[in-house]
Amino acid sequence: MKLFKEMESADYEQVVVCQDRASGLKAIIAIHDTTLGPALGGTRMWTYKSEEEAFEDALRLARGMTYKNAAAGLNLGGGKTVIMGDPRTEKNEEMFRAFGRYIQGLNGRYITAEDVGTTVHDMDMIRQETDFVTGVSPAFGSSGNPSPVTGYGVYVGMKAAAKEAFGTDDLSGRTVAVQGVGNVAYNLCKHLDEEGASLIVTDIHKASVDRAVQDFDAKAVAPEDIYDQEADIFAPCALGAVLNDETIPRLKARVVAGAANNQLKEARHGDWLFESGIVYAPDYVINSGGVINVADELNGYNKDRAMKKVETIYDSIERVFEIASRDNISSQTAADRMAEERIENMRYSRKQFLQNSHHVLSRR
């Protein structure tokens, strides 16, 4: 893998490779952009097939966090960590404390949080070594597990997407096919079930599927069959790149709205959805509830304030559709423009400030 070529492709700032032989830690911290502030992004633990796959995921996820934080109106940049390993069998305290020391060494350029394969308990272990961590236990003045808030944010954004497609945001009687029923998606399913939606679910872990079937009377299907279901809404809530050349032609849903990061394998797949008449809620906008929630911790956590901010995801999704309709572009391109404009405006403002400061100093 040509790492510098990959970094130059999207102007990544920094990649840190972390290894601790005693604990088995093998981690990659990717920092994409800190124009708006320090990079905030979670730590994912996953059984990657290769080091190259882990690097690619870290880079892709970090860039996604830049756009997510910018689109959410947060004064934070984008970063992400991936830890190579099975989160069900290979975790230990030494691993996360060693990782915390690496974060501390970045001196605030990167702030981590919970993600796929990590928990509040893991964040508590990291906190033993650094203050640059969010999503820790409420006992430490934090918000705790962000999954319920992320799930609620996806639910709110899904209603906005449904309004765009069907003319109403009422989800009662709608069928939603949910790919992946982890912690975030389980909370999404809970809100959908309470509103009266019918659920079709799948997951690589049978226990997660069984829980959704029992709690929500969901229909279970095999992972590969989820794309072919007769559903109003397809909700990708597992790993990324699931919207691609093979899967998009199989979709029968009019709306794609889910919690997964980097759902589009390539940017052109967003255009394909647009051209096919499928309403797509850009992933980093709709799934920003978790980061909005943990970002509130940086100011002293206030749940009511955080939840009100999460509810603005509905407005953000509507704004994306407005831009897409006005400019006749895909919703993904519209969301990118919305985020990029905010970042560029900040860069321009800083440049002007520095030029003015230099001018004042040169006159003295």
Side-chain angles (χ1 to χ4, degrees):
M1 182 179 182
K2 297 180 179 179
L3 181 57
F4 282 108
K5 183 178 180 180
E6 291 290 329
M7 292 179 67
E8 289 172 1
S9 68
D11 198 21
Y12 292 86
E13 294 180 5
Q14 187 176 8
V15 174
V16 181
V17 180
C18 313
Q19 185 276 144
D20 182 68
R21 184 168 60 182
S23 65
L25 174 70
K26 293 181 180 179
I28 302 160
I29 303 172
I31 298 175
H32 176 244
D33 189 287
T34 57
T35 300
L36 296 176
L40 173 64
T43 294
R44 171 171 296 190
M45 187 171 183
W46 194 254
T47 51
Y48 292 98
K49 296 177 182 178
S50 66
E51 294 175 6
E52 288 79 9
E53 184 182 54
F55 268 104
E56 289 172 0
D57 204 30
L59 292 174
R60 186 167 58 245
L61 290 167
R63 184 171 182 269
M65 288 305 303
T66 295
Y67 281 76
K68 178 184 292 188
N69 292 337
L74 302 175
N75 296 317
L76 295 163
K80 204 79 172 186
T81 295
V82 300
I83 296 177
M84 299 182 66
D86 189 332
R88 295 177 179 239
T89 61
E90 298 184 63
K91 287 183 181 181
N92 58 70
E93 177 182 354
E94 294 77 17
M95 173 184 290
F96 287 98
R97 293 191 63 166
F99 175 55
R101 292 192 289 273
Y102 280 108
I103 294 176
Q104 183 65 21
L106 292 171
N107 199 31
R109 274 181 55 77
Y110 171 66
I111 304 166
T112 198
E114 179 186 356
D115 198 79
V116 175
T118 59
T119 66
V120 172
H121 178 71
D122 300 329
M123 298 305 107
D124 287 348
M125 293 300 99
I126 293 172
R127 187 182 180 277
Q128 299 301 311
E129 304 291 342
T130 183
D131 291 329
F132 302 117
V133 56
T134 58
V136 295
S137 296
F140 299 117
S142 173
S143 59
N145 182 2
S147 296
V149 183
T150 306
Y152 178 67
V154 175
Y155 166 70
V156 168
M158 185 181 289
K159 288 177 72 66
K163 183 180 179 181
E164 177 72 11
F166 308 117
T168 175
D169 64 8
D170 184 2
L171 298 177
S172 61
R174 298 291 177 191
T175 299
V176 184
V178 184
Q179 181 187 45
V181 204
N183 291 332
V184 171
Y186 179 85
N187 284 278
L188 167 63
C189 289
K190 182 175 182 292
H191 292 294
L192 292 172
D193 180 65
E194 289 173 350
E195 189 167 342
S198 299
L199 299 172
I200 303 171
V201 300
T202 195
D203 197 292
I204 60 173
H205 302 296
K206 185 176 183 298
S208 297
V209 173
D210 291 344
R211 182 172 67 156
V213 170
Q214 178 179 335
D215 292 354
F216 310 124
D217 195 27
K219 173 186 174 183
V221 298
E224 184 55 30
D225 294 337
I226 194 68
Y227 305 102
D228 306 303
Q229 301 304 307
E230 296 285 350
D232 299 296
I233 301 170
F234 172 59
C237 298
L239 296 181
V242 298
L243 298 171
N244 52 54
D245 290 347
E246 290 73 32
T247 61
I248 291 176
R250 296 164 58 185
L251 295 177
K252 297 178 173 60
R254 288 186 58 192
V255 174
V256 174
N261 289 307
N262 302 302
Q263 296 167 21
L264 303 173
K265 186 173 183 180
E266 299 176 28
R268 65 183 177 86
H269 292 118
D271 296 330
W272 190 351
L273 291 172
F274 173 65
E275 293 162 2
S276 300
I278 297 174
V279 173
Y280 174 59
D283 47 26
Y284 64 80
V285 182
I286 195 172
N287 68 12
S288 62
V291 72
I292 291 172
N293 188 59
V294 297
D296 194 82
E297 296 177 17
L298 303 176
N299 300 311
Y301 185 66
N302 181 290
K303 184 176 180 179
D304 290 339
R305 179 178 63 200
M307 294 305 291
K308 287 180 181 178
K309 178 69 173 174
V310 169
E311 288 174 353
T312 64
I313 291 174
Y314 189 107
D315 303 320
S316 297
I317 294 293
E318 283 197 314
R319 177 59 180 156
V320 167
F321 293 145
E322 288 173 4
I323 295 172
S325 177
R326 181 195 67 198
D327 299 341
N328 194 32
I329 55 177
S330 71
S331 57
Q332 182 69 26
T333 302
D336 287 352
R337 287 185 184 178
M338 186 172 69
E340 289 165 356
E341 180 177 326
R342 183 165 181 251
I343 294 170
E344 288 304 315
N345 286 344
M346 180 58 69
R347 285 176 178 160
Y348 177 78
S349 177
R350 286 183 177 179
K351 182 179 180 180
Q352 291 298 107
F353 176 79
L354 291 173
Q355 288 178 343
N356 292 339
S357 297
H358 177 73
H359 179 68
V360 170
L361 290 172
S362 65
R363 293 178 60 185
R364 290 182 178 178

